[in-house]
């Protein structure tokens, strides 16, 4: 199992717009081959900061879809790590 994380910074005052757009985009991510689940969490220290965690079955699932996501991420930084599989992953949104 592969764990990708992206630290997202949203223009201040546009957080609600970002969350609405992400609600649509998560369906696109979830349809990609090897998708294993995702979470989007809002930063407690910075109102316009978010942490996106995406789980993939294989490194290739992440890297092949990653180029397309980076072209639309608007400056997000990401890091990929290996993790052990979890019994269940769900798509969740915290606000």
């Amino acid at each position: 199992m592969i764990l990708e994380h992206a630290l997202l910074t949203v223009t201040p005052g546009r957080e609600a717009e970002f969350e609405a757009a992400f609600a649509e985009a998560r369906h696109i991510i979830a349809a990609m081959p090897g998708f294993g689940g995702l979470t989007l969490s809002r930063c407690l220290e910075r109102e316009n900061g978010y942490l996106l965690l995406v789980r993939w079955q294989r490194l290739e699932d992440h890297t092949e879809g990653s180029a397309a996501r980076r072209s639309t991420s608007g400056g997000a930084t990401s890091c990929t790590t290996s993790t052990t599989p979890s019994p269940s992953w769900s798509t969740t949104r915290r606000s």
Side-chain angles (χ1 to χ4, degrees), residues 8-61:
L8 307 171
T9 301
V10 176
T11 302
R14 299 186 71 185
E15 295 85 1
E17 182 181 341
F18 166 76
E19 290 179 17
F22 186 81
E24 298 295 323
R26 68 185 174 94
H27 299 293
I28 297 168
I29 298 169
M32 293 182 159
F35 174 78
L38 67 78
T39 59
L40 178 68
S41 302
R42 194 163 185 176
C43 181
L44 296 175
E45 295 87 5
R46 294 180 301 115
E47 285 188 24
N48 65 326
Y50 292 82
L51 172 63
L52 173 62
L53 298 173
V54 185
R55 290 162 187 82
W56 302 100
Q57 296 299 317
R58 306 171 305 133
L59 180 60
E60 295 79 13
D61 297 325

